Amino acid sequence: MKRRSTMVIAFLLSFFLSLIPFSGNVINAVTPAAVVPVSGLSFTQGVKKTVLENGLTVLTKEVHTAPVVSVQVWYKVGSRNEGKGESGISHQLEHLMFKGTKERPVQFGRLFSALGSQFNAFTSYDETAYFGTVQRDKLEALLILEADRMKNALVGAEQLTSEKRVVISELQGYENSPSYRLNRAVMKAAFPNRAYGLSVGGTKADVEKFTVEQVRNYYQTYYSPDNATLVITGDFATEPVLKAVKESFGKLTKNQKSTVDSQKPTPPTTSNSQASTPIVLKEPGSAALLYVVYPLPDIQHPDVPAIDVMDAILTGGRSSRLYQALVESGLASSVGGSPAELIEPGWYEIEATAAPGQKLEKIAQVLQTSLSELQQKGVSAAELNRAKTILQASFVLGNQDISSQASQLGYNQTVAGDYKYIERYLAAIAKVTPEDVQRVAKTYLVPAKKTIGFFEPTQPDGEAGTSSSGSGRTVENFSPGQPVDPAELAKYLPPASSSTGSNQQPLPQQFSLANGLRVLLLPDRSLPTINISGQIDAGTEFDSNQKAGLALLTAENLMNGTETKNALALAQTLEDRGTSLEFSPSREGVSISGEGLSANLPVLVQTLADVLQNANFPDDQLELSRQRALTNVKVQLDDPSTLARRVFQQAIYPESHPFHSFSTEASLKSITRDDVLNFYRQHYRPDTTTIALVGDFDPAKVKDLFNQAFTKWQAEGKPPGLNLPKVPLPKTSTRLNKVIPGKAEAVTYIGYNGISRKDPRFYAALVLNQILGGDTLSSRLGTEVRDRLGLTYGIYSGFAAGINPGPFLIEMQTAPTDAQKAIASTLALLKQLREQGITESELNTAKRSITNSYPVELANPSEVANIILNNAVLGLSPAEIREFPRRIQAVNMTQIQQVIKDLIQPENVVIVTAGPGETASK
């Protein structure tokens, strides 16, 4: 029973909880350690359920760990409810819910942003949900806004015409993904007569035909209090909040149309009868893909817990069966699985990406052999315990913040029909036997019932098509509308209650070992969890163009073996306890991320110490990781977003600059094991490593633990350094186009080199960016290019300010025919900003938005660990975590004017567009 992200159409982001397998390979088995159980932890303890007279279900849960609250509204309607010709109408309506109401005819994203809310929405198969997390004094304001749009949303011709174009842009963006196209073909064949067989976002053909009356009727049918669940979690007192809920939502009436009668489930059908014959898509692309689905029962079926344990055994980590059979063997670059247990009977999916040169038919054969072995021989006690621990720990770790806790409650109430479902589910997981797993494998993984698909790329080697370039400006003469006046917007904002006081953010303790290793500690006893965030100064900035990918291969091979443990032993040491430890390289360092239950902190730290000091980089594992990297390069070159960013970066930075280098097939193939060993010995040093821990621990014991684990780690001489050349602005505007055959949407980057994080202009630049493009729904760019013109699904701007200056950039996704106009619109907005500046009202609103949302970030332990780490790595004071809001509030108009003068240069931009050929300049 996992909240799923597969094929879910999210308005901005989807936030489903799922198990994320380790990437990597396995070798021989080891004996698992004893499982540390999670005792005395209840997900629903303290939850109060209230049903209003109008049928609205209200779930409240007080969580007083941070001064924030999460408000979510879950409607029991999704693509499952759509009839013929209505494919995608649930998703279309979700977009329209942000277009304003009769009393507040303004973009709701601007209202949420003004409150400092971290907000979003998504549409899925069974549900549509809207959610926001704010400081506690903004709780009643969120309730008023959500109640308003439950009944009074503007669903008119103007709103529908504008948002149709945005939705189609979003759908066409998904068309860029070969895996999306393959999944859609397989699902349609597997469930030809059911709504689950269609993509949640719908079809372009249906979306184009939606009428105002059609969408309005759908809204009036399903958006009713008796078809919704309101979830509130966080720092509040229950009784006053329930009073506020009754005042805002209690006055809403039920819809006259029967939501019960209109939600009759479609009779389930079996898969198509051509199960043994793969569906084959031969289209432009990069990597070969496999996707297979098997029918499953609905979420209420007693087999669900055993099915989820089976999935964890098959795909839950690098010690899982399918990783051993497919990834470790070199057949596949990746493999994953996920059960969809929904209101109606769902499915189990398995997907794999072929390694270079490997045949999908062979992968399918080995996959079937692995499933047959599970059915015939069953599972061991060790596998069963590991799978149960992974599942149990994933729910604890995935619910550390109040937003995730609210989502868990909303999902269970809406889809499973009871917010307490998770307690019964986890209790049932604990009782699953080896016989149960073997039985469900035999029952549901039946070859005759599967539907399988292959994606066979027709474009060799994932190389981008021909490109054209030119300098100069776009020819359209575009005049942007006047910026939205925040003072005008403010009259639609509900009042916020008086804050009951502010929590003083605790500061981390900091200490250094004798070898120079820095450690930052911030105890948080609210949950029995631990979050580790770290960085080693061994990023891709140390790559040469000839050996680009060296930092990547070194980082990705750390977990492939040490002097005392092989890859599988390392994996099982962690997976037996439901913990994770991962390394990922970026420009300025290798990121360390780890999490687990607090009882397993010693194992997590000891494993980290072992791989940082004793990694031995086995030849076979290095070669497998090289093959995965080669596959990733092909995928990147076939993706408009990653290709455009690569070309954009290389256009800004000269070849002599570290930010210019990107992995290529030639550079990856040139890297030897000696190269990796030398890079590891030179750059993996204690005096260039910083580690932050947030969670349930005793600081004194952690200091002892680190001293014992890392005391032998020593480095000689001074750490490697870089002297980066200064990067000037381009002398003129430059336009580059990269053509990728077979794509539906274009992605454009606009910008140039910017500033570093320690630049004294950073805080003013951050405030300015909030106004310009910090949020696609509330910014000037979003208001003009997305909302008014409907040219893009999403447009953002940002300063990539790190230790060194990174790019200022604007990113957007458009239809190929809209790219030119969107670029012209964006440049006109930059010129308007340059010539007219901003208003005092915009400045104050942007500062409030940033400072109001900051406490929300601090309410997530994982995010706090990242903030503490980044501040330390960037050379900022430990007090920055507390001082940041004050520094934002101190920004004044003079500073903003200087930043506009210094950093907004519309005449000197680099413009890169990647996508279909028709995006090229005429």
Side-chain angles (χ1 to χ4, degrees):
M1 192 284 298
K2 295 185 288 188
R3 281 173 282 158
R4 308 181 61 262
S5 58
T6 304
M7 304 286 282
V8 170
I9 304 298
F11 189 59
L12 297 173
L13 295 170
S14 60
F15 67 107
F16 290 86
L17 171 66
S18 61
L19 293 176
I20 303 175
F22 285 84
S23 62
N25 313 295
V26 290
I27 34 185
N28 52 351
V30 294
T31 304
V35 173
V36 180
V38 184
S39 59
L41 187 65
S42 169
F43 289 97
T44 60
Q45 184 176 359
V47 176
K48 179 179 176 64
K49 179 180 179 181
T50 306
V51 180
L52 304 188
E53 291 183 4
N54 59 13
L56 178 69
T57 298
V58 184
L59 302 177
T60 54
K61 181 181 181 180
E62 295 184 27
V63 185
H64 301 288
T65 55
V68 298
V69 292
S70 183
V71 174
Q72 303 188 7
V73 181
W74 289 64
Y75 294 93
K76 193 174 181 179
V77 59
S79 62
R80 177 180 73 94
N81 304 91
E82 297 166 357
K84 187 176 181 180
E86 292 184 331
S87 177
I89 196 170
S90 302
H91 175 233
Q92 180 70 75
L93 178 55
E94 175 217 315
H95 277 242
L96 291 170
M97 289 288 283
F98 284 85
K99 300 295 281 187
T101 64
K102 297 170 185 175
E103 292 188 4
R104 296 179 175 86
V106 293
Q107 166 59 253
F108 262 44
R110 295 186 206 121
L111 298 177
F112 292 137
S113 181
L115 292 172
S117 175
Q118 289 191 358
F119 66 95
N120 219 318
F122 73 85
T123 303
S124 188
Y125 298 98
D126 295 332
E127 75 275 13
T128 306
Y130 304 83
F131 49 98
T133 303
V134 293
Q135 290 188 90
R136 59 189 168 202
D137 58 314
K138 312 296 192 307
L139 169 57
E140 290 188 26
L142 275 191
L143 293 176
I144 291 169
L145 291 174
E146 289 295 353
D148 189 15
R149 64 176 175 174
M150 179 177 280
K151 276 292 184 179
N152 304 311
L154 289 174
V155 183
E158 181 182 348
Q159 292 81 17
L160 181 58
T161 299
S162 167
E163 214 58 29
K164 264 190 188 183
R165 195 169 183 177
V166 172
V167 166
I168 290 170
S169 173
E170 180 184 356
L171 296 181
Q172 294 296 94
Y174 297 129
E175 293 290 333
N176 283 349
S177 167
S179 63
Y180 175 86
R181 303 199 299 270
L182 177 62
N183 293 7
R184 179 181 56 195
V186 171
M187 288 294 292
K188 187 175 181 179
F191 306 108
N193 302 312
R194 298 180 58 197
Y196 284 167
L198 299 176
S199 302
V200 171
T203 64
K204 181 181 177 183
D206 277 2
V207 171
E208 287 176 332
K209 295 175 184 176
F210 289 154
T211 65
V212 171
E213 182 182 18
Q214 189 181 13
V215 179
R216 189 177 289 156
N217 285 340
Y218 200 81
Y219 172 60
Q220 292 171 350
T221 298
Y222 293 106
Y223 279 59
S224 179
D226 57 328
N227 196 46
T229 296
L230 169 66
V231 188
I232 309 169
T233 57
D235 190 20
F236 62 88
T238 300
E239 292 310 316
V241 164
L242 285 177
K243 181 180 177 182
V245 168
K246 290 172 184 176
E247 289 174 355
S248 53
F249 284 89
K251 60 187 178 184
L252 304 181
T253 58
K254 296 180 183 179
N255 290 337
Q256 296 300 314
K257 299 180 181 181
S258 171
T259 57
V260 175
D261 291 343
S262 61
Q263 294 189 88
K264 292 179 180 178
T266 309
T269 60
T270 58
S271 298
N272 68 85
S273 58
Q274 304 296 321
S276 59
T277 304
I279 297 164
V280 179
L281 297 186
K282 293 186 177 182
E283 300 174 354
S286 52
L289 308 172
L290 174 148
Y291 183 64
V292 58
V293 298
Y294 297 85
L296 286 184
D298 61 62
I299 194 171
Q300 301 292 352
H301 198 283
D303 282 347
V304 163
I307 292 169
D308 286 5
V309 172
M310 175 192 74
D311 171 52
I313 289 169
L314 288 172
T315 66
R318 55 186 304 180
S319 62
S320 64
R321 290 199 174 194
L322 294 185
Y323 260 72
Q324 291 186 55
L326 296 175
V327 180
E328 194 278 334
S329 68
L331 288 173
S333 293
S334 65
V335 64
S338 181
E341 294 126 350
L342 307 170
I343 291 177
E344 295 177 21
W347 63 92
Y348 182 58
E349 64 186 18
I350 300 173
E351 48 193 341
T353 301
Q358 298 296 335
K359 298 294 185 183
L360 292 172
E361 292 83 0
K362 177 65 174 177
I363 294 174
Q365 179 185 354
V366 174
L367 169 63
Q368 183 55 53
T369 299
S370 298
L371 300 182
S372 297
E373 287 179 356
L374 177 62
Q375 294 168 326
Q376 295 163 12
K377 299 179 182 178
V379 300
S380 67
E383 282 182 299
L384 184 68
N385 287 339
R386 186 178 304 120
K388 289 181 180 181
T389 301
I390 288 173
L391 283 170
Q392 292 167 347
S394 73
F395 279 95
V396 179
L397 296 168
N399 284 281
Q400 293 185 82
D401 62 284
I402 62 165
S403 298
S404 297
Q405 292 177 42
S407 299
Q408 188 71 62
L409 294 171
Y411 183 86
N412 287 338
Q413 182 66 36
T414 304
V415 178
D418 181 5
Y419 74 91
K420 294 182 179 179
Y421 177 90
I422 186 175
E423 307 290 0
R424 300 196 305 273
Y425 168 82
L426 290 174
I429 289 287
K431 296 177 182 177
V432 171
T433 66
E435 291 75 22
D436 291 332
V437 175
Q438 187 175 15
R439 175 180 54 79
V440 296
K442 289 180 177 179
T443 302
Y444 301 108
L445 302 182
V446 179
K449 294 182 179 180
K450 76 180 179 186
T451 307
I452 187 169
F454 293 166
F455 179 87
E456 297 179 353
T458 58
Q459 187 180 353
D461 302 324
E463 294 177 357
T466 58
S467 65
S468 63
S469 64
S471 61
R473 297 159 190 80
T474 51
V475 296
E476 293 187 57
N477 182 17
F478 182 81
S479 298
Q482 287 302 307
V484 176
D485 183 4
E488 178 70 16
L489 186 72
K491 69 183 184 183
Y492 299 117
L493 274 173
S497 62
S498 299
S499 181
T500 56
S502 60
N503 290 20
Q504 183 78 311
Q505 171 62 38
L507 300 181
Q509 304 175 34
Q510 181 172 318
F511 69 94
S512 296
L513 303 186
N515 58 13
L517 175 68
R518 282 193 299 171
V519 183
L520 300 108
L521 304 176
L522 187 61
D524 178 359
R525 299 301 180 89
S526 59
L527 283 171
T529 59
I530 186 73
N531 296 271
I532 294 179
S533 185
Q535 179 165 308
I536 309 153
D537 296 346
T540 60
E541 63 184 0
F542 290 107
D543 283 352
S544 65
N545 289 326
Q546 293 73 27
K547 297 284 185 180
L550 179 55
L552 168 76
L553 290 183
T554 306
E556 292 194 345
N557 276 272
L558 290 173
M559 295 294 293
N560 282 338
T562 66
E563 295 174 2
T564 57
K565 291 183 178 179
N566 60 29
L568 184 58
L570 285 170
Q572 290 187 343
T573 295
L574 299 172
E575 291 168 14
D576 285 345
R577 296 164 174 83
T579 60
S580 66
L581 180 63
E582 298 177 346
F583 300 88
S584 56
S586 62
R587 285 289 171 193
E588 297 186 329
V590 172
S591 297
I592 304 167
S593 59
E595 63 177 4
L597 303 179
S598 52
N600 296 315
L601 176 58
V603 171
L604 202 50
V605 171
Q606 288 158 6
T607 303
L608 174 61
D610 189 19
V611 298
L612 289 182
Q613 298 172 76
N614 304 310
N616 63 355
F617 304 99
D619 285 316
D620 58 341
Q621 298 291 339
L622 178 60
E623 190 54 40
L624 288 173
S625 67
R626 187 199 315 275
Q627 295 305 310
R628 289 195 298 274
L630 289 168
T631 299
N632 288 336
V633 166
K634 290 184 177 181
V635 171
Q636 290 167 11
L637 294 176
D638 185 57
D639 178 69
S641 180
T642 53
L643 177 62
R645 181 61 187 267
R646 177 185 288 230
V647 175
F648 173 75
Q649 194 104 352
Q650 291 185 328
I652 292 173
Y653 299 102
E655 285 192 29
S656 59
H657 198 287
F659 290 4
H660 181 93
S661 68
F662 284 84
S663 299
T664 65
E665 181 178 355
S667 69
L668 287 168
K669 288 182 176 179
S670 75
I671 295 169
T672 66
R673 182 172 181 271
D674 284 342
D675 292 330
V676 173
L677 284 169
N678 289 335
F679 189 90
Y680 174 65
R681 290 164 183 159
Q682 185 178 8
H683 296 284
Y684 282 73
R685 305 165 52 106
D687 54 351
T688 62
T689 300
T690 305
I691 299 172
L693 283 83
V694 174
D696 180 22
F697 57 79
D698 180 334
K701 292 181 179 178
V702 169
K703 290 179 182 178
D704 290 341
L705 179 61
F706 268 81
N707 274 304
Q708 293 170 12
F710 289 96
T711 189
K712 294 181 181 179
W713 194 18
Q714 299 295 325
E716 296 181 2
K718 293 183 178 180
L722 287 171
N723 186 17
L724 273 65
K726 187 175 181 180
V727 178
L729 287 176
K731 292 182 179 180
T732 61
S733 179
T734 302
R735 178 76 190 270
L736 300 170
N737 294 281
K738 300 297 286 187
V739 178
I740 311 179
K743 300 304 174 186
E745 284 283 279
V747 174
T748 298
Y749 282 89
I750 302 173
Y752 36 71
N753 191 40
I755 59 175
S756 70
R757 175 61 176 84
K758 293 188 77 174
D759 190 299
R761 299 169 293 182
F762 172 78
Y763 299 100
L766 196 61
V767 173
L768 177 65
N769 186 70
Q770 180 69 18
I771 296 167
L772 174 63
D775 185 291
T776 199
L777 294 184
S778 63
S779 64
R780 284 193 180 189
L781 286 170
T783 298
E784 186 70 28
V785 184
R786 183 195 186 281
D787 257 15
R788 191 170 80 86
L789 299 174
L791 296 174
T792 177
Y793 166 55
I795 183 167
Y796 304 90
S797 65
F799 288 89
I803 298 172
N804 300 296
F808 163 72
L809 54 86
I810 297 169
E811 178 188 7
M812 68 181 98
Q813 170 188 306
T814 63
T817 53
D818 288 338
Q820 281 293 110
K821 188 172 184 180
I823 291 168
S825 306
T826 299
L827 295 179
L829 279 165
L830 290 177
K831 291 175 184 176
Q832 181 189 65
L833 180 63
R834 175 86 179 177
E835 294 166 1
Q836 302 177 18
I838 66 169
T839 66
E840 197 74 36
S841 182
E842 282 184 300
L843 172 61
N844 293 330
T845 299
K847 292 196 295 186
R848 280 197 303 270
S849 179
I850 294 171
T851 55
N852 286 345
S853 65
Y854 188 62
V856 178
E857 296 180 45
L858 298 180
N860 186 328
S862 177
E863 187 62 30
V864 171
N866 290 333
I867 292 172
I868 291 172
L869 172 76
N870 290 335
N871 288 343
V873 168
L874 292 164
L876 305 174
S877 163
E880 175 69 16
I881 192 171
R882 184 184 290 174
E883 293 294 320
F884 176 79
R886 183 186 65 78
R887 299 185 195 281
I888 292 294
Q889 287 293 357
V891 172
N892 58 45
M893 185 63 79
T894 300
Q895 293 170 321
I896 291 289
Q897 290 168 343
Q898 188 63 48
V899 164
I900 292 175
K901 180 181 178 181
D902 294 346
L903 303 180
I904 302 301
Q905 306 289 344
E907 305 292 339
N908 305 93
V909 293
V910 170
I911 306 169
V912 176
T913 300
E918 56 265 37
T919 63
S921 300
K922 300 294 186 291

